[in-house]
Amino acid sequence: MNDAEMDTPVPVIDLDIVMANLRRMQDYCDLHGLKLRPHIKTHKMPDLALEQVRLGAVGITCQKLGEAEVMVDAGLTDILMSYPVIGAAKAARLGALARRATMRVAVDNPVALRTVADAASQAGREIGILVEFDSGRLRTGVTTVDEALALARAVVATDGVRFDGLMTYPSSAATAPFIAAAKEAFAAAGIEIGMVSGGGTPDVWSKHETVGLTELRVGTYIFHDRATVGNGVATLDDCALHVHATVVSRPTPDRAVIDTGSKSLSSDLVAPSVGKGFGMIREYPDAVIERVNEEHGMVDLSACAARPEIGERVRVLPNHVCVVVNLHDTVVRTRGGEIDGDGTGVWPVAARGRSR
């Protein structure tokens, strides 16, 4: 199968670029003494997670238990759950995972702690706990050092769980001061902070400047997207995934319609300083995908010197690649400009849709 034979819309990844991105991040972490624990929510593919570990990652990060179940089935054995795990149903699933892999879970409240303790009891194995603190995103995470210390004390006093350290997202200007204050308070309480896990691709190449950070959780770096290019942490040449689309209509000279709408590209936008529309058409960078319905992408061509014809194939760089991958059951992989593998290059997105 060649490019012209691929039915569109279809996400296509370049494995040569993927491998370059993986090596670059591992080299960065090794250089600065940071442990790398990639977040698989971007790619959701066990083969890629295994490759990340083969290159030197200490383990992986999963957002949901469904993702972790897929990864453990594939042979991944060291997993951090970076999302709250609450309730009896999730305790049973976490316990089943803990019998098969080394599990850590981020918590920011006593209810989540009790769920993890219940899971550890069911598994008959210890589960590590990271206390999550808020670095300014105003999402999950305790907001004061006193709260973090109180929760850590509760972890230490709870059977079946182990206090491993702290976690935050994103790593920001507020992170290092919180870590410094926490180290002082925890030392006074006789509690060791063994690890501090931070994350976020948008400013990844300065993470080593965050004093106290020991571990890095990043996901988007494996493919990159329009947002990371706009943030200056990647170039267009670093972008490994594009959605291939076909021009299906040209109602006016200034408008084209592609067969790629919100069900393929998502409805995520980027900052106005990065660009307009719902993705960048690589062959026509001055075009703007100004609107998307579920299956239609309406493209403004008014700023383009050259314009696509009906039936022409184009490559769309997604605004937010993590969402795009989760919209598709499979991707096509290429290497050296050719379809990889058995001639079809089709690769299942095994953890797609695992939202629980």
Side-chain angles (χ1 to χ4, degrees), residues 126-165:
E126 197 171 54
I127 297 176
I129 295 283
L130 297 182
V131 172
E132 182 178 6
F133 67 92
D134 177 31
S135 277
R137 195 172 183 87
L138 304 181
R139 202 169 64 179
T140 49
V142 299
T143 59
T144 69
V145 170
D146 286 345
E147 290 175 306
L149 180 56
L151 193 52
R153 281 178 165 143
V155 174
V156 172
T158 301
D159 291 337
V161 294
R162 178 188 67 251
F163 176 71
D164 283 348

Side-chain angles (χ1 to χ4, degrees), residues 271-355:
S273 60
V274 174
K276 300 178 181 178
F278 296 88
M280 170 193 282
I281 298 178
R282 292 294 299 271
E283 293 80 6
Y284 301 94
D286 293 325
V288 177
I289 306 173
E290 60 179 353
R291 292 182 292 125
V292 287
N293 297 139
E294 291 182 51
E295 310 291 356
H296 298 72
M298 278 61 75
V299 185
D300 178 5
L301 303 173
S302 60
C304 298
R307 303 178 181 194
E309 301 296 331
I310 295 173
E312 187 172 338
R313 301 294 187 94
V314 295
R315 296 171 302 146
V316 181
L317 175 64
N319 286 342
H320 185 184
V321 71
C322 306
V323 180
V324 169
V325 172
N326 195 52
L327 290 170
H328 296 268
D329 290 326
T330 59
V331 301
V332 170
R333 62 188 187 220
T334 64
R335 191 186 294 272
E338 302 291 335
I339 302 297
D340 188 57
D342 60 3
T344 66
V346 175
W347 215 350
V349 184
R352 174 188 183 262
R354 301 300 179 110
S355 60

Side-chain angles (χ1 to χ4, degrees), residues 24-342:
R24 186 181 305 117
M25 187 62 69
Q26 188 65 58
D27 287 347
Y28 168 79
C29 289
D30 291 345
L31 176 65
H32 295 290
L34 291 169
K35 293 180 179 179
L36 178 61
R37 185 180 293 277
H39 207 315
I40 60 85
K41 71 181 179 67
T42 299
H43 60 75
K44 295 179 176 283
M45 302 177 210
D47 285 353
L48 292 179
L50 289 166
E51 186 64 22
Q52 289 169 311
V53 171
R54 187 189 72 80
L55 289 172
V58 296
I60 62 171
T61 304
C62 293
Q63 198 79 338
K64 295 299 182 74
L65 289 170
E67 294 174 343
E69 288 161 348
V70 170
M71 295 297 156
V72 171
D73 285 345
L76 279 301
T77 59
D78 194 315
I79 297 176
L80 166 63
M81 300 299 307
S82 59
Y83 192 87
V85 177
I86 302 286
K90 287 184 169 56
R93 293 169 66 196
L94 177 59
L97 285 168
R99 286 191 289 270
R100 304 167 61 200
T102 298
M103 299 296 298
R104 292 180 178 85
V105 183
V107 305
D108 73 351
N109 63 79
V111 177
L113 172 56
R114 287 195 296 272
T115 298
V116 179
D118 185 16
S121 176
Q122 293 181 47
R125 290 189 61 185
E126 197 171 54
I127 297 176
I129 295 283
L130 297 182
V131 172
E132 182 178 6
F133 67 92
D134 177 31
S135 277
R137 195 172 183 87
L138 304 181
R139 202 169 64 179
T140 49
V142 299
T143 59
T144 69
V145 170
D146 286 345
E147 290 175 306
L149 180 56
L151 193 52
R153 281 178 165 143
V155 174
V156 172
T158 301
D159 291 337
V161 294
R162 178 188 67 251
F163 176 71
D164 283 348
L166 304 175
M167 189 200 88
T168 193
Y169 179 84
S171 304
S172 68
T175 302
F178 192 103
I179 296 170
K183 283 187 172 181
E184 183 177 345
F186 279 54
I191 299 176
E192 180 183 0
I193 300 175
M195 59 186 285
V196 181
S197 180
T201 299
D203 58 349
V204 66
W205 305 123
S206 62
K207 294 297 186 188
H208 64 283
E209 298 172 1
T210 303
V211 177
L213 206 64
T214 67
E215 180 178 276
L216 188 57
R217 306 183 324 277
V218 282
T220 310
Y221 80 98
I222 189 170
F223 297 142
H224 285 297
D225 54 23
R226 198 180 184 196
T228 62
V229 171
N231 285 332
V233 300
T235 70
L236 289 174
D237 289 339
D238 298 322
C239 294
L241 185 148
H242 294 81
V243 178
H244 289 219
T246 300
V247 177
V248 295
S249 179
R250 282 288 308 278
T252 72
D254 286 344
R255 186 167 85 249
V257 181
I258 56 177
D259 60 350
T260 308
S262 62
K263 286 183 175 179
S264 297
L265 293 176
S266 90
S267 55
D268 283 15
L269 294 170
V270 290
S273 60
V274 174
K276 300 178 181 178
F278 296 88
M280 170 193 282
I281 298 178
R282 292 294 299 271
E283 293 80 6
Y284 301 94
D286 293 325
V288 177
I289 306 173
E290 60 179 353
R291 292 182 292 125
V292 287
N293 297 139
E294 291 182 51
E295 310 291 356
H296 298 72
M298 278 61 75
V299 185
D300 178 5
L301 303 173
S302 60
C304 298
R307 303 178 181 194
E309 301 296 331
I310 295 173
E312 187 172 338
R313 301 294 187 94
V314 295
R315 296 171 302 146
V316 181
L317 175 64
N319 286 342
H320 185 184
V321 71
C322 306
V323 180
V324 169
V325 172
N326 195 52
L327 290 170
H328 296 268
D329 290 326
T330 59
V331 301
V332 170
R333 62 188 187 220
T334 64
R335 191 186 294 272
E338 302 291 335
I339 302 297
D340 188 57
D342 60 3

